Amino acid sequence: MESNILTILIFLPLVGISAMIIAYFFKPHDIIYKYIALATTFIQLALTGWLYSIFIPEDGLQYIVRLPWIDNFNIQYFVGIDGLSIPLVLLTSLLMFISQLNGINTTGNSKPLDLCTVIILIALTSSEILIDSLSLALFHFSRKISKW
């Protein structure tokens, strides 16, 4: 799992978004969206905390995953984390969890806010650990969409 931890951190919020979309079709109470977003941010925080605990600062870039994506243009899925990125990823996960925990008792329609929290979690985490420039540009574009 250690070699794929960064990929899990990037795509775990997509599982939360998928669960929110599935819940939308079953029309449950609005509180279910808050709990899905809270569970997603908690799992993200737990995985990030575990990654932070096993990170060795002296080793430079770690947990590298490099896979070809579009060979004709030499575009690849390339992620890794270094000593500068690891506290940013931990801080992002912590802040998203705290913000979602804070909003658990709010009243009214918070579905868009819960969904945006998880989308922002994807955008920020991926922009901190992606190394390939095209992937970074795509996730930066997703950050622009989440501001909408």
Side-chain angles (χ1 to χ4, degrees):
M1 182 172 155
E2 287 182 13
S3 63
N4 294 321
I5 186 70
L6 298 179
T7 301
I8 293 169
L9 286 175
I10 290 174
F11 293 108
L12 174 71
L14 286 176
V15 174
I17 291 172
S18 301
M20 287 180 183
I21 291 170
I22 291 169
Y24 176 78
F25 290 117
F26 290 109
K27 307 285 187 206
H29 297 288
D30 287 343
I31 195 75
I32 193 71
Y33 297 100
K34 293 179 184 193
Y35 286 125
I36 290 171
L38 185 66
T40 303
T41 56
F42 176 74
I43 293 169
Q44 184 91 2
L45 178 62
L47 288 174
T48 306
W50 176 71
L51 178 67
Y52 188 79
S53 70
I54 62 171
F55 185 79
I56 302 168
E58 294 83 23
D59 287 351
L61 196 60
Q62 298 175 40
Y63 309 108
I64 297 170
V65 176
R66 179 181 267 175
L67 300 169
W69 188 10
I70 304 171
D71 288 330
N72 294 339
F73 298 106
N74 195 23
I75 297 172
Q76 52 194 342
Y77 175 76
F78 185 19
V79 295
I81 197 159
D82 59 3
L84 182 63
S85 300
I86 188 77
L88 294 175
V89 173
L90 182 63
L91 183 63
T92 298
S93 298
L94 180 65
L95 288 176
M96 290 293 117
F97 177 71
I98 290 172
S99 69
Q100 194 59 40
L101 189 63
N102 185 40
I104 202 78
N105 292 325
T106 59
T107 58
N109 184 12
S110 66
K111 287 185 270 191
L113 179 63
D114 298 329
L115 186 62
C116 283
T117 300
V118 179
I119 291 172
I120 289 170
L121 183 61
I122 293 172
L124 289 175
T125 303
S126 61
S127 67
E128 292 161 355
I129 61 179
L130 281 171
I131 297 171
D132 184 39
S133 59
L134 179 66
S135 301
L136 185 60
L138 289 175
F139 280 103
H140 178 71
F141 180 69
S142 71
R143 285 178 64 189
K144 296 287 186 187
I145 291 174
S146 68
K147 289 181 182 178
W148 169 74

